[in-house]
Amino acid sequence: MNAERDPQLESLFAPPAHVDDAGFTDRVLARLPARRAVNPWWRRAILAGAGAAAAAVGLGAPTVLAAVQGVFTTAVTQVASGGVPVVSLVMAGLLAWSAAAVVLEERA
Amino acid sequence: MTPADADLVARVLVHDDRHAFATLVRNHQSPVRLFLRRLCRDDALADDLAQETFVRVWRHLGSWRREARFQTWLFQVAYNLFLSELRRRRPTEALSADGEAVDAVQAPRGDAVHLQHDVAHALAVLSLDERAAITLCFQHGLTHQEAAEVLAMPLGTVKTHVLRGREKLRKRLGAWEGAGAP
């Protein structure tokens, strides 16, 4: 990389000029949107739920895994046969995911 | 990444600390505005884009990948906004996109103001990509790799732009090179 440098030419650009703030920072701060105040209890509830689910999986791994496998097998079968319950399950999952995203997002 | 930047970003994210964000803006406003001014060659528009850059950074601060320097990320956001503005204005209005024909620099006139003037004119002959790459690498000291991240270009492409831009600048600023920066 250094061999590709041209110190003499680069010296014409350096030291870089400095632009005075002159109220720029204040103008930026005035334009900042308010962040949504996220209720810390929501975060805790979601984290607790995730932790409980993880603990359940950890404690009863064989049973839980078998149950999950059963649900998955059923779901695949129902999808193959065009069953509505799986669609509902997917929709519910998407809704839950969206709700969590809305709760945790920062206001854009 | 400087620890100070990382610390300030953490304070903004965790405590919604606007004073910390103000410090970030104060620390970085000059290079961001300079970069945009080089691209736009319209100070008012450049400052508007710089403001929008920091507002966007505020909104998406959580998406900053900490393996990249904070300033590199700022340049990236600023450059993307500049490109959006360019697309929005074309083809009805020019926004200093590609190189323009300008008079060659004949000889150094001996002070920093004239040097800055001549550098600005010399940069005007470069294409947008060359100008952006040269400005990032020469003026702001980014590595070619960092410039490639900012401009979303392959490393080899950035090197080519720097090389071509450098040759054009040499032709324009050759007289200054012998004299050195004042």
Side-chain angles (χ1 to χ4, degrees):
Chain A
M1 189 78 74
N2 287 338
E4 296 162 357
R5 292 291 196 186
D6 186 339
Q8 206 170 22
L9 187 62
E10 288 180 40
S11 72
L12 300 181
F13 289 78
H18 180 79
V19 180
D20 286 334
D21 188 276
F24 178 84
T25 299
D26 293 336
R27 288 194 293 277
V28 169
L29 291 181
R31 284 188 55 191
L32 294 183
R35 284 181 189 275
R36 178 179 296 175
V38 177
N39 187 338
W41 288 104
W42 275 110
R43 287 181 187 274
R44 288 171 194 161
I46 291 170
L47 282 174
V57 169
L59 290 172
T63 314
V64 172
L65 286 177
V68 169
Q69 191 176 14
V71 169
F72 182 75
T73 307
T74 308
V76 169
T77 307
Q78 286 182 337
V79 165
S81 62
V84 176
V86 173
V87 176
S88 303
L89 193 66
V90 170
M91 291 301 293
L94 286 173
L95 281 172
W97 183 269
S98 303
V102 167
V103 166
L104 295 176
E105 78 163 0
E106 292 167 355
R107 184 185 288 273
Chain B
M1 177 180 78
T2 62
D5 286 339
D7 181 45
L8 290 167
V9 169
R11 281 166 51 189
V12 175
L13 289 175
V14 176
H15 302 295
D16 196 20
D17 185 342
R18 287 186 178 230
H19 293 296
F21 190 73
T23 306
L24 279 171
V25 176
R26 262 191 294 274
N27 290 347
H28 294 286
Q29 58 86 22
S30 179
V32 170
R33 290 164 78 188
L34 274 171
F35 175 53
L36 287 166
R37 285 179 181 193
R38 286 287 193 218
L39 295 179
C40 300
R41 294 193 288 120
D42 174 342
D43 290 0
L45 174 63
D47 282 2
D48 285 347
L49 290 177
Q51 277 189 40
E52 186 57 35
T53 297
F54 284 105
V55 171
R56 190 168 289 197
V57 161
W58 164 264
R59 287 174 174 161
H60 302 287
L61 202 54
S63 65
W64 172 44
R65 293 179 300 108
R66 287 160 197 255
E67 58 265 31
R69 278 199 299 155
F70 184 69
Q71 192 174 63
T72 305
W73 185 56
L74 278 177
F75 283 136
Q76 201 171 20
V77 175
Y79 186 66
N80 287 338
L81 277 170
F82 168 76
L83 290 182
S84 299
E85 182 68 16
L86 196 63
R87 280 191 291 268
R88 195 178 67 79
R89 292 189 173 217
R90 273 178 170 173
T92 55
E93 195 177 345
L95 181 62
S96 174
D98 289 326
E100 298 171 0
V102 295
D103 296 336
V105 174
Q106 296 299 326
R109 284 169 285 179
D111 60 41
V113 174
H114 285 136
L115 172 61
Q116 287 304 312
H117 178 266
D118 289 347
V119 165
H121 270 250
L123 281 169
V125 303
L126 306 185
S127 71
L128 172 61
D129 291 338
E130 290 166 353
R131 191 157 72 240
I134 287 281
T135 302
L136 288 171
C137 294
F138 284 16
Q139 187 157 43
H140 298 289
L142 269 64
T143 64
H144 290 171
Q145 181 60 52
E146 287 174 323
E149 288 170 21
V150 170
L151 304 175
M153 290 175 188
L155 178 59
T157 307
V158 168
K159 287 182 177 180
T160 302
H161 287 315
V162 170
L163 199 65
R164 286 183 182 157
R166 195 173 66 186
E167 290 311 309
K168 290 179 186 175
L169 288 176
R170 268 206 191 116
K171 287 178 185 167
R172 298 272 165 183
L173 298 170
W176 277 105
E177 280 197 90

